[in-house]
């Protein structure tokens, strides 16, 4: 499996937007990326994520900003506990309300202990973060129909609210898996390194012409 630095670009299919990630997976994962999207309001999201050598998440830092507001959140895992810190400048909820959307609430999580079982982090709207559990579980080499239910620290974008959620990953062969959470499900196509090529309803990998 290739372990070189990568520059990955996805175009969003659920809204106008894109994501660019710079990835080093030679010893677990170290990645930084930028999302641009217009829904529910225009924003830029920048993140850094790090895993250990076994692809369990250890740190995620995210900053999102738009016209008149900025939010940030940091998740760090140590001794089987997550520490979560969050901040806001301006008023995203006021911007959302002015655009006719429901207020998002405060960034972060009220009780980080709710995340205690999570070995993976997930960033809303990002196809990169599906690679973390895929590689940690070895799902791309597992027999077809192998399924895992995992606990995840899910960071919503642009609100940066952090939720403890359950997700189900089911291997469908070396280049596909099925993702399910709540009432949503999708069959996702990946490359040999486990990075998303096509995620129906979310994003597709862009290629050079």
């Amino acid at each position: 499996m290739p372990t070189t630095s990568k520059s990955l670009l996805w175009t969003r299919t659920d809204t106008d937007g894109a994501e660019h990630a710079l990835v080093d997976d030679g010893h677990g994962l170290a990645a930084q990326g930028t999302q641009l999207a217009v829904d529910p309001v225009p924003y830029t999201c920048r993140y850094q994520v790090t895993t250990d050598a076994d692809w369990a998440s250890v740190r995620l830092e995210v900053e999102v900003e738009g016209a008149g507001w900025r939010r940030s959140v940091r998740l760090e895992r140590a001794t089987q506990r997550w520490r979560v810190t969050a901040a806001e400048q301006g008023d995203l909820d006021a911007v959302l309300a002015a655009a006719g959307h429901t207020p998002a609430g405060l960034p972060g999580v009220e009780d980080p202990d709710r995340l205690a079982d999570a070995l993976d982090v997930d960033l809303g709207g990002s196809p990169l973060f599906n690679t973390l559990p895929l590689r940690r579980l070895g799902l791309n080499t597992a027999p077809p129909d192998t399924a895992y239910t995992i606990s995840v620290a899910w960071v919503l974008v642009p609100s940066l609210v952090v939720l403890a959620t359950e997700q189900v990953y089911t291997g469908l062969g070396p280049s596909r898996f099925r993702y399910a959470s709540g009432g949503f499900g999708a069959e996702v196509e990946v490359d040999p390194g486990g990075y998303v090529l096509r995620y129906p309803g979310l994003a597709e990998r862009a290629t050079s012409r």
Side-chain angles (χ1 to χ4, degrees):
M1 187 173 295
T3 56
T4 57
S5 298
K6 301 171 180 64
S7 177
L8 305 174
L9 179 68
W10 292 273
T11 56
R12 294 279 289 268
T13 57
D14 60 336
T15 186
D16 289 332
E19 176 173 348
H20 178 224
L22 298 174
V23 174
D24 186 338
D25 59 6
H27 186 72
L29 180 76
Q32 58 181 337
T34 302
Q35 294 179 332
L36 300 171
V38 300
D39 187 42
V41 292
Y43 66 83
T44 300
C45 172
R46 301 177 183 88
Y47 64 82
Q48 294 183 329
V49 59
T50 306
T51 74
D52 62 19
D54 296 321
W55 286 75
S57 300
V58 295
R59 188 175 75 252
L60 172 63
E61 298 181 48
V62 190
E63 181 179 272
V64 184
E65 63 180 328
W69 62 273
R70 176 182 297 174
R71 288 187 170 195
S72 63
V73 69
R74 176 185 294 178
L75 289 76
E76 296 177 290
R77 183 171 61 88
T79 62
Q80 298 182 331
R81 296 190 65 184
W82 285 96
R83 182 174 63 181
V84 180
T85 55
E88 179 179 33
Q89 299 176 13
D91 192 341
L92 172 59
D93 279 350
V95 174
L96 289 171
H101 298 291
T102 302
L106 297 175
V109 61
E110 185 175 340
D111 182 7
D113 287 342
R114 295 178 181 175
L115 309 174
D117 294 333
L119 294 178
D120 303 287
V121 293
D122 190 8
L123 184 65
S126 173
L128 174 67
F129 284 74
N130 294 104
T131 302
L132 278 63
L134 188 74
R135 292 284 292 268
R136 181 176 66 80
L137 299 168
L139 202 60
N140 50 337
T141 58
D145 297 323
T146 300
Y148 294 91
T149 300
I150 61 174
S151 297
V152 176
W154 183 27
V155 181
L156 305 183
V157 179
S159 69
L160 301 189
V161 172
V162 182
L163 302 176
T165 65
E166 283 195 344
Q167 300 177 352
V168 180
Y169 279 73
T170 304
L172 301 174
S175 63
R176 291 186 304 129
F177 70 91
R178 179 170 179 81
Y179 168 89
S181 183
F184 176 79
E187 290 191 7
V188 183
E189 181 183 353
V190 297
D191 67 17
Y195 297 97
V196 170
L197 293 172
R198 182 173 178 271
Y199 191 134
L202 179 67
E204 293 186 359
R205 180 93 66 83
T207 57
S208 300
R209 297 181 179 178

